[in-house]
Amino acid sequence: MDYKGTRRLSVAPMLDWTDRHYRYMARQITRHTWLYTEMINAGAVIHGDPVRFLLKDECENPVALQLGGSEPADLAKAAAKAAAYGYDEINLNCGCPSPRVQKGAFGACLMNEPLLVADCLNAMQDAAPDCSITVKHRIGVDRQTDYQVVADFVGTLHERTACTTYIVHARNAWLDGLSPKENREIPPLKYDYVYRLKQEFPHLEIIINGGITTNQQISEHLQHVDGVMVGREAYHNPMLMRDWDKLFYGSDTEGISHAELVTKLQTYAAAQISTGRGTILRHMARHYLGLMHGLKGARTWRRILSDAEMLKPNNPALLAEAWEHVSKANFENER
């Protein structure tokens, strides 16, 4: 089966992390994996600087914009703007548990209002008819522990919308008493709930998310669901993605070497700085700290690229300087 063009693998939307600079790097490592923006409030897209919130590099596709919001009219306006920027997918966040998001009455608390979510999805689809409109959600809110909670949520949306793709974080969202970080770690993972969703709704695209850190785990999940979304591990250890095209998309292209990637990132950084839009090396280098994970010299790489004084001159050649330390410390030739 040809999996290219599918959401078989994806990188989760992560606030303050999956910006356009991270996504450019990720796309150099994996050609076929779906990438997601960080969550962007619909109001910011409508009223803010569209270049700041929607700009992307053409190489990023397939890429999805994740929106936060609960007003169908606002989400429709934001979706229309996103479609004009060439996003392949627009995703509605129904899973974020942060207090800031709750005050805006969106994120995970929307799971308690499936009819409103249906109105939102329909408004987004009408405004961006050529985009795939999807939803990312939890398996329940607070102490809702029964499988039927998430089954009813998906069932209601399936009946009332054209949405066919459901990205399911296999944990509850505890809206009271846990921080966003604790919400990613304390509520127990219930992968079996997501597997059951696929069994109950076999014609829907069900993607699993939450606590997935290895290629072996990805392979095991793909026996039960259509796709796997990886979050923090893809950020802190981005070269994990290097074999994804070959392992999960059937590509025969060899994975990029560290040396080649550093060269590409240096060229990219120079181009971004030269635009004069205020982008500085630090904005990009912060995403590169985990690139040498597992290699000798990784600590030196991280130290150089997080040193405020060394970053201050805004010289992309700092990447080559940092790489030189890693290259010398590793005796095996890169493939």
Side-chain angles (χ1 to χ4, degrees):
M1 181 175 176
D2 183 8
Y3 291 108
K4 294 180 178 65
T6 71
R7 298 174 188 79
R8 190 164 168 81
L9 265 292
S10 56
V11 176
M14 291 177 279
L15 202 57
D16 297 325
W17 288 3
T18 52
D19 65 11
R20 62 190 179 92
H21 304 308
Y22 170 81
R23 298 193 307 269
Y24 178 87
M25 176 189 69
R27 182 56 73 222
Q28 308 315 303
I29 301 171
T30 170
R31 177 69 212 99
H32 302 295
T33 299
W34 278 67
L35 304 177
Y36 284 73
T37 70
E38 55 192 325
M39 183 185 71
I40 301 173
N41 187 293
V45 174
I46 298 168
H47 305 294
D49 177 6
V51 171
R52 176 186 172 194
F53 292 110
L54 297 177
L55 185 67
K56 64 180 180 62
D57 192 290
E58 281 308 306
C59 81
E60 291 179 35
N61 295 71
V63 61
L65 174 76
Q66 187 184 66
L67 289 175
S70 59
E71 291 289 338
D74 285 350
L75 287 163
K77 290 175 186 175
K81 284 199 170 190
Y85 271 77
Y87 284 90
D88 299 283
E89 172 192 335
I90 305 171
N91 177 267
L92 179 63
N93 184 314
C94 292
C96 181
S98 80
R100 183 176 62 176
V101 166
Q102 288 181 56
K103 285 180 182 176
F106 61 94
C109 59
L110 280 176
M111 285 199 69
N112 290 324
E113 300 186 66
L115 298 183
L116 174 58
V117 174
D119 289 343
C120 291
L121 294 174
N122 287 330
M124 292 163 66
Q125 191 68 78
D126 289 344
D130 296 328
C131 277
S132 178
I133 304 299
T134 69
V135 60
K136 186 173 189 292
H137 56 93
R138 298 280 185 133
I139 57 172
V141 176
D142 294 324
R143 304 300 190 242
Q144 299 168 341
T145 58
D146 189 60
Y147 162 75
Q148 202 57 43
V149 171
V150 68
D152 288 346
F153 180 77
V154 171
T156 298
L157 297 184
H158 175 49
E159 288 174 5
R160 293 174 175 268
T161 76
C163 180
T164 58
T165 300
Y166 296 80
I167 302 164
V168 191
H169 188 153
R171 282 189 174 96
N172 274 42
W174 291 2
L175 302 182
D176 186 25
L178 292 184
S179 70
K181 180 179 186 295
E182 289 169 330
N183 257 293
R184 293 191 300 266
E185 298 168 352
I186 293 178
L189 285 159
K190 296 182 179 179
Y191 294 136
D192 58 309
Y193 280 22
V194 189
Y195 298 168
R196 285 179 66 183
L197 275 178
K198 182 58 188 176
Q199 292 169 355
E200 187 171 342
F201 302 97
H203 46 293
L204 297 181
E205 183 178 35
I206 304 295
I207 297 169
I208 198 166
N209 170 234
I212 300 162
T213 60
T214 69
N215 289 336
Q216 179 61 36
Q217 291 170 350
I218 291 170
S219 296
E220 290 170 1
H221 286 305
L222 286 173
Q223 304 301 311
H224 304 278
V225 292
D226 300 295
V228 174
M229 176 177 276
V230 179
R232 285 163 290 162
E233 192 67 20
Y235 187 87
H236 293 303
N237 179 20
M239 288 302 260
L240 172 73
M241 300 183 282
R242 180 164 58 176
D243 294 323
W244 285 4
D245 290 353
K246 182 178 288 187
L247 291 174
F248 304 114
Y249 284 97
S251 173
D252 55 6
T253 303
E254 200 66 38
I256 193 169
S257 69
H258 287 83
E260 184 183 358
L261 180 58
V262 170
T263 299
K264 284 179 177 287
L265 294 177
Q266 183 174 337
T267 301
Y268 172 79
Q272 292 297 308
I273 292 168
S274 70
T275 62
R277 285 197 296 260
T279 302
I280 59 176
L281 185 60
R282 179 173 55 82
H283 294 158
M284 296 166 278
R286 69 189 184 95
H287 300 303
Y288 307 159
L289 299 182
L291 272 177
M292 304 304 158
H293 182 83
L295 294 182
K296 297 174 184 175
R299 183 178 297 176
T300 303
W301 167 270
R302 292 193 302 270
R303 178 182 57 77
I304 292 173
L305 294 188
S306 58
D307 186 307
E309 287 303 311
M310 299 183 81
L311 290 165
K312 203 170 185 179
N314 221 24
N315 186 353
L318 186 66
L319 296 176
E321 180 184 333
W323 166 244
E324 188 68 20
H325 291 275
V326 180
S327 182
K328 285 180 178 177
N330 290 271
F331 302 106
E332 292 182 3
N333 291 326
E334 285 238 56
R335 44 187 185 149

